[in-house]
Amino acid sequence: MYSLHEGSGLFLLLVLAGLQIAAEGRGTPPCRPGFSEDVYKVVVPGIAEEGQPLFNVRFVDCGRGGLVRFECSNPSDFRIEADGVVYAARTIRHSTPAASLLLIKAIEATTQQQWVAQVRLTASSQQVQQVAAPPVMSKDLKEIAFPSRNADSPLKRMKRDWVIPPINVPENSRGPFPQELVRIRSDHDKNRSLRYSVTGPGADQPPTGIFIIEPISGELSVNKPLDREHISNFHLRAHAVDLNGNQVENPIDIVINVIDMNDNRPEFTHQIWNGTVPEGSKPGTFVMTVTSVDKDDPKTANGMLRYKILSQNPESPTSNMYTINNKTGGIITVAAGLDREKVPQYTLIIQATDMEGNPMYGLSNTATAVIRVTDVNDNPPEFTAETFFGEVHENSVNVIVANLTVTDKDQPNTPAWNAVYKITGGDPTGRFSVPTDPTTNEGLVTVVKPIDYETSRTYVLTVEARNDAPLARGIHSPRQSTATVSIRVIDVNESPYFEPNPELIRRNEGILSGSTLSTFTAQDPDRFMKQSIRYTKLSDPASWLRIDPNTGRITTTAVLDRESSFVKNSLYNATFLASDNGEPPASGTGTLQIYLIDINDNAPKVFPQETEVCEKPDPNAINITALDGDLNPNAGPFAFELAHRPTDVRRNWTITRVSGDYAQVSLKIGFLESGIYEIPIIITDSGNLPMSNTSYLRIKVCQCDMNGDCTDQQHIMAAGLGTGAIISILLCIIILLILVLMFVVWMKRRDKERQAKQLLIDPEDDVRDNILKYDEEGGGEEDQDYDLSQLQQPDTIEPDAIKPVGIRRLDERPLHPEPQYPMRSAAPHPGDIGDFINEGLKAADNDPTAPPYDSLLVFDYEGSGSTAGSLSSLNSSSSGGDQDYDYLNDWGPRFRKLADMYGGSDD
């Protein structure tokens, strides 16, 4: 098909020409499977290494999903992969730039259908002189030359106005590596040998080893595949030095851009997206937005995403209830008919594809969108029956008589489901209410006011059910939202009642016993029950009344007195009980109020009844008035008059009327002896048939000071205490005495305890292990004031040798006055010192004056066989010179002093 000329020695730049199908802006014609182009024109390098990618072809399968394999007409020189990329099967050299023809065939594995495309290969026309160096050292690479400068001028930094275009390297290249990129060259390499190097990230800085340069030829190569998502560009600096390391050129900057390849799939930020939409929403209602990201370059098609809905579940009422904006990912409704009661939730599979959504070349990923249809009040509540029935006893309150049940298709426990009941008819007086049970949503028909069977035996209510939330627009309440409630009233035995209650009657006081006052009867509200009523007296404070049990006639049993303490403000209250004979019996009470009209039946009395006046005051008048239990006009004004007897009353006193209710009593003579005088005064009221009364005014006449106050008062009140106060004082005294006695007892006990503690021998004075220290040591025990005769046998004691009672050790503490001990009797057995000690112990125990240190001391048992021998051998009268005390030295250092004292010589 085309000729290859070997040995040309020319290196051509590798050019990969990618042809794009210009389909945008031309409409959307019907998709046909096949190659994107019938004829591909490709420029290939003059020399192609084995495995080097040359070009690619694109096949469109229109979403058929069948497996397509490719074949080429020259498999010995070219190899095509499943992705349409054509590689060199061996090293190929093109001798002429004439075009060669290559056929590419696509075969579908299922149907064996075939498609053929032509590829016209044209070799690069760039010619360079062949050199004997290896191919990698040839001059077919693009060269970057250092900026030229005067050779004679010294090395100096050049102005960076010469911009080197960046080098573009595609990412994820398959190699082979190292892959040449460009060659760095200096003009000075013509006359001397130079060495080239590069520095910067990717070369000698992390990440190192990505770019390398051949130091002699200056060929810059990439050593491994690049990843744009990791590092999108590299900034290197090229250096040229001579063999001595001297810099011959100023460094130049090289920028290597990593060209993005579509090697990353879109990734949704959430795998599951949740959204809501109200039921009944119109088309175009926004639901939610899904978002996906692509790590590829967003400025290229590799990172431009497009969204679409792959599936909808369930497909009700249509399979296309939603659509998505292919660029923004916004989901909206496109069809009507969302009904939560039928489909509460939709699940959408959303696909995001890069390459602007191209299904052939783009990479895709999917996510799930869950759309929950929220409830609106589009279903009114409906009663389960047209008529409900109930019954209630009359006079009952706060009683549930019927339960109204409804159904509502809306979501439970929401305002669109909660029912509200309203009575629209049959209850003009407001005796019923229908609250809602929050748990069952039922209507509870409740009696809120008493119902009278005799007034109405049945009630027929009209009840309407609604929701807390208003109905959605266009929804109306059906006939089933209204129901009838029929309530039957059950008759019960009601209590008789008095009318009026209380009943007020007016009667004159003083009515005689047995008089009829009134007939106080009760009424039975149970008109349809034939019942009789009996009356009894429930309250009659003064026991003035009696009631007939059958007729209710009230008569008096005593004279009615308005001035009685049981009468308040001229009213006397009596309560009566009326009981019927129903099942069960019922009773009611009534109060009869008797207003007693006053009559003049009480004579007036003087007030005050006692007073005092000075012997010679000026003036010496006393103001008095009268008290009358009756009311006006049967009381004041009053008439005051002194009685005629005794005769000295009118001679010594005089009375003068001040007003209708007051008068003045004064001395008629200039001087009256001190004393107490009783003056009779006749007082007459103003009643019809007036009543008079003689009252005695007790007046004390006394001597007065200049202020008019009595100075010879004899009625000084004796100051005294009540019985309770006296008892309290005595109790306090007794308690105080008890406390004093307890304190004395406690003090005595504390003294005894202190004395007992003082008697305890100090460890240094314990004679059991210590030697007593004295101020002066005499010749022996005979010089000490000890009564050692008590240790002698009783039969050897001389009567005249017994020391007087009371002789004690001089070093003892004088704790108490010298006690007088009784004479102790001799032991019954002369040779038994134990009996003697026991007798002494008993005598000490029985002696109340004996101090504690005379008691018998208890010592630890030291065993038998003491070398000291028996105490019976001691004789205080002997000098002890015939005894050997040297054995005391064997008892330890504490007894050496004794051994020296008793065992030494007389000197």
Side-chain angles (χ1 to χ4, degrees):
M1 293 182 292
Y2 58 88
S3 62
L4 299 175
H5 178 70
E6 297 182 0
S8 61
L10 299 177
F11 287 89
L12 301 178
L13 291 174
L14 177 61
V15 179
L16 299 178
L19 302 179
Q20 299 181 353
I21 304 173
E24 298 179 1
R26 302 178 182 177
T28 307
C31 182
R32 292 185 304 170
F35 289 98
S36 60
E37 297 288 344
D38 293 335
V39 178
Y40 292 93
K41 296 181 179 180
V42 179
V43 178
V44 296
I47 299 177
E49 300 291 338
E50 181 180 355
Q52 180 177 348
L54 301 178
F55 59 92
N56 67 329
V57 294
R58 299 179 182 178
F59 184 83
V60 181
D61 60 356
C62 296
R64 300 172 64 174
L67 181 61
V68 178
R69 59 185 177 88
F70 299 97
E71 295 180 356
C72 67
S73 60
N74 188 6
S76 60
D77 294 333
F78 301 97
R79 172 173 54 87
I80 185 170
E81 297 292 339
D83 56 358
V85 179
V86 178
Y87 298 87
R90 61 183 181 84
T91 300
I92 304 173
R93 298 177 184 271
H94 294 270
S95 58
T96 62
S100 301
L101 184 63
L102 180 66
L103 298 179
I104 303 297
K105 182 187 296 184
I107 304 173
E108 187 177 10
T110 304
T111 61
Q112 296 299 320
Q113 186 176 357
Q114 298 182 2
W115 295 268
V116 178
Q118 296 181 2
V119 180
R120 296 187 181 276
L121 301 175
T122 303
S124 176
S125 60
Q126 185 177 1
Q127 300 289 332
V128 294
Q129 183 179 359
Q130 182 177 353
V131 295
V136 296
M137 299 293 293
S138 60
K139 300 180 180 179
D140 63 339
L141 290 178
K142 179 181 178 181
E143 290 184 354
I144 297 178
F146 284 91
S148 61
R149 59 183 178 87
N150 190 353
D152 296 332
S153 64
L155 183 63
K156 62 179 180 179
R157 183 176 180 86
M158 304 296 294
K159 186 177 180 181
R160 295 181 180 272
D161 56 354
W162 188 67
V163 179
I164 300 175
I167 302 172
N168 297 326
V169 179
E171 66 172 335
N172 302 324
S173 176
R174 297 187 178 182
F177 296 103
Q179 182 178 353
E180 296 82 0
L181 301 179
V182 72
R183 191 170 71 178
I184 309 299
R185 190 183 62 82
S186 173
D187 294 338
H188 296 279
D189 62 355
K190 298 178 181 180
N191 52 15
R192 53 179 168 173
S193 297
L194 301 180
R195 295 294 183 266
Y196 300 96
S197 63
V198 292
T199 59
D204 61 343
Q205 299 177 17
T208 60
I210 297 179
F211 299 98
I212 60 175
I213 189 171
E214 212 290 323
I216 299 176
S217 63
E219 292 181 358
L220 179 64
S221 304
V222 60
N223 206 28
K224 60 180 67 175
L226 303 179
D227 187 0
R228 190 203 67 84
E229 288 71 38
H230 184 217
I231 302 177
S232 61
N233 53 65
F234 296 88
H235 294 267
L236 304 179
R237 302 199 76 182
H239 306 270
V241 297
D242 58 15
L243 295 180
N244 295 325
N246 298 319
Q247 180 177 336
V248 297
E249 297 282 1
N250 289 324
I252 60 173
D253 294 330
I254 300 176
V255 178
I256 301 176
N257 292 329
V258 183
I259 305 303
D260 184 42
M261 302 294 289
N262 191 18
D263 57 344
N264 290 281
R265 292 181 178 275
E267 296 290 340
F268 284 91
T269 55
H270 301 286
Q271 196 58 33
I272 298 178
W273 297 79
N274 294 292
T276 59
V277 60
E279 63 175 332
S281 296
K282 297 180 179 180
T285 302
F286 174 79
V287 180
M288 62 178 173
T289 299
V290 297
T291 305
S292 178
V293 295
D294 196 317
K295 296 180 181 179
D296 292 325
D297 190 357
K299 298 180 181 179
T300 65
N302 299 331
M304 297 181 181
L305 307 181
R306 296 295 183 266
Y307 300 91
K308 72 176 181 178
I309 299 176
L310 296 181
S311 64
Q312 169 191 312
N313 183 35
E315 298 180 354
S316 174
T318 64
S319 60
N320 295 318
M321 294 295 295
Y322 304 92
T323 186
I324 187 171
N325 188 308
N326 64 346
K327 292 184 179 180
T328 64
I331 300 176
I332 60 174
T333 60
V334 293
L338 291 175
D339 191 350
R340 190 203 64 85
E341 288 72 34
K342 294 180 180 179
V343 181
Q345 181 175 290
Y346 289 89
T347 302
L348 306 180
I349 303 300
I350 310 298
Q351 183 186 57
T353 306
D354 57 15
M355 297 298 293
E356 298 181 296
N358 191 316
M360 185 66 184
Y361 306 105
L363 301 177
S364 302
N365 210 339
T366 60
T368 303
V370 178
I371 302 175
R372 183 172 57 89
V373 182
T374 58
D375 187 34
V376 297
N377 193 14
D378 58 345
N379 294 280
E382 298 181 0
F383 286 99
T384 58
E386 293 183 0
T387 304
F388 296 87
F389 299 91
E391 59 183 20
V392 61
H393 292 85
E394 65 172 332
N395 300 322
S396 298
V397 180
N398 297 327
V399 178
I400 299 175
V401 299
N403 288 28
L404 310 183
T405 56
V406 295
T407 59
D408 197 319
K409 297 179 181 179
D410 292 320
Q411 186 174 358
N413 300 316
T414 61
W417 178 82
N418 296 333
V420 179
Y421 301 90
K422 181 181 179 182
I423 299 176
T424 59
D427 185 24
T429 58
R431 299 184 180 272
F432 299 92
S433 67
V434 188
T436 304
D437 189 328
T439 304
T440 62
N441 209 30
E442 296 180 352
L444 308 178
V445 181
T446 307
V447 181
V448 295
K449 293 182 180 180
I451 299 175
D452 188 8
Y453 173 82
E454 286 72 27
T455 302
S456 178
R457 300 184 182 182
T458 59
Y459 287 88
V460 179
L461 308 179
T462 301
V463 181
E464 181 183 10
R466 297 180 180 178
N467 293 121
D468 283 342
L471 291 174
R473 181 178 298 180
I475 305 298
H476 302 283
S477 297
R479 182 179 58 84
Q480 291 80 3
S481 296
T482 303
T484 301
V485 183
S486 178
I487 302 174
R488 183 173 67 90
V489 183
I490 301 175
D491 190 16
V492 296
N493 185 24
E494 299 178 80
S495 301
Y497 64 94
F498 291 89
E499 185 66 30
N501 189 15
E503 182 178 352
L504 177 65
I505 61 174
R506 303 173 65 89
R507 299 291 185 268
N508 290 327
E509 66 171 330
I511 297 178
L512 299 179
S513 175
S515 302
T516 300
L517 295 181
S518 177
T519 299
F520 196 36
T521 58
Q523 300 178 10
D524 192 349
D526 299 314
R527 299 194 305 268
F528 303 99
M529 297 181 182
K530 303 301 180 182
Q531 299 177 150
S532 61
I533 299 177
R534 293 185 62 84
Y535 302 94
T536 57
K537 185 173 62 172
L538 192 62
S539 173
D540 184 11
S543 299
W544 287 345
L545 306 176
R546 180 177 63 244
I547 187 169
D548 187 280
N550 297 319
T551 62
R553 186 168 60 92
I554 297 176
T555 58
T556 61
T557 59
V559 178
L560 305 184
D561 186 8
R562 192 199 65 83
E563 289 75 29
S564 172
S565 60
F566 300 104
V567 178
K568 306 297 181 182
N569 298 324
S570 302
L571 285 178
Y572 180 76
N573 295 324
T575 304
F576 299 93
L577 181 69
S579 304
D580 60 19
N581 59 350
E583 291 295 336
S587 60
T589 61
T591 300
L592 179 65
Q593 292 184 336
I594 305 174
Y595 185 84
L596 296 177
I597 301 174
D598 184 40
I599 63 174
N600 194 13
D601 56 348
N602 291 278
K605 298 179 181 180
V606 67
F607 181 83
Q609 294 182 351
E610 294 183 359
T611 184
E612 59 184 21
V613 67
C614 297
E615 291 177 338
K616 297 179 180 180
D618 188 17
N620 55 0
I622 301 171
N623 292 330
I624 63 173
T625 185
L627 296 179
D628 195 327
D630 296 325
L631 301 176
N632 291 329
N634 295 322
F638 301 100
F640 300 90
E641 181 184 3
L642 294 176
H644 294 278
R645 293 187 181 276
T647 58
D648 59 348
V649 172
R650 286 180 173 264
R651 184 177 64 249
N652 297 335
W653 304 91
T654 181
I655 188 168
T656 305
R657 184 176 180 179
V658 177
S659 63
D661 295 332
Y662 293 91
Q664 280 188 350
V665 177
S666 59
L667 283 173
K668 191 175 183 180
I669 59 179
F671 173 79
L672 185 63
E673 185 180 356
S674 298
I676 298 176
Y677 299 88
E678 290 186 355
I679 302 174
I681 300 176
I682 301 173
I683 305 176
T684 305
D685 60 22
S686 301
N688 190 6
L689 299 177
M691 294 190 68
S692 298
N693 181 34
T694 300
S695 297
Y696 288 89
L697 176 63
R698 187 182 179 89
I699 299 178
K700 178 184 178 182
V701 179
C702 60
Q703 296 179 0
C704 297
D705 55 13
M706 58 183 303
N707 296 324
D709 298 327
C710 287
T711 59
D712 59 342
Q713 297 182 1
Q714 303 295 329
H715 53 282
I716 299 176
M717 297 180 60
L721 297 176
T723 304
I726 295 174
I727 293 175
S728 300
I729 294 174
L730 291 177
L731 288 177
C732 292
I733 294 174
I734 293 172
I735 293 173
L736 181 61
L737 291 176
I738 293 174
L739 292 176
V740 172
L741 181 60
M742 292 176 63
F743 179 75
V744 171
V745 172
W746 176 76
M747 290 294 294
K748 286 184 174 293
R749 179 174 297 178
R750 192 178 65 170
D751 291 342
K752 290 183 179 180
E753 292 177 355
R754 185 183 297 110
Q755 293 172 6
K757 292 180 180 179
Q758 291 176 354
L759 291 176
L760 295 177
I761 301 175
D762 190 71
E764 295 181 358
D765 297 335
D766 191 355
V767 298
R768 292 178 296 177
D769 289 334
N770 298 284
I771 298 177
L772 298 177
K773 297 180 180 179
Y774 300 92
D775 293 339
E776 292 182 0
E777 296 183 357
E781 294 180 353
E782 293 180 353
D783 296 335
Q784 305 298 326
D785 193 6
Y786 294 122
D787 186 10
L788 298 179
S789 62
Q790 298 295 331
L791 298 178
Q792 296 178 353
Q793 295 184 3
D795 52 356
T796 62
I797 300 177
E798 296 294 337
D800 56 353
I802 299 176
K803 294 183 178 181
V805 178
I807 296 177
R808 298 160 48 196
R809 287 170 46 184
L810 296 177
D811 61 342
E812 291 180 345
R813 304 176 190 174
L815 300 178
H816 301 283
E818 186 69 25
Q820 300 297 326
Y821 300 128
M823 183 63 68
R824 301 174 181 172
S825 60
H829 193 281
D832 193 353
I833 195 171
D835 294 338
F836 168 74
I837 294 176
N838 290 333
E839 288 296 330
L841 176 62
K842 292 180 180 179
D845 291 339
N846 296 328
D847 186 4
T849 62
Y853 52 80
D854 263 0
S855 302
L856 181 65
L857 298 178
V858 179
F859 297 89
D860 292 339
Y861 177 69
E862 297 181 355
S864 60
S866 176
T867 58
S870 175
L871 294 177
S872 301
S873 62
L874 295 177
N875 190 352
S876 62
S877 61
S878 63
S879 63
D882 56 349
Q883 296 187 20
D884 185 11
Y885 294 99
D886 292 338
Y887 61 89
L888 294 176
N889 293 322
D890 300 334
W891 289 6
R894 295 185 178 182
F895 293 89
R896 262 174 212 163
K897 195 171 182 77
L898 285 177
D900 295 340
M901 292 173 57
Y902 291 93
S905 61
D906 295 339
D907 297 336

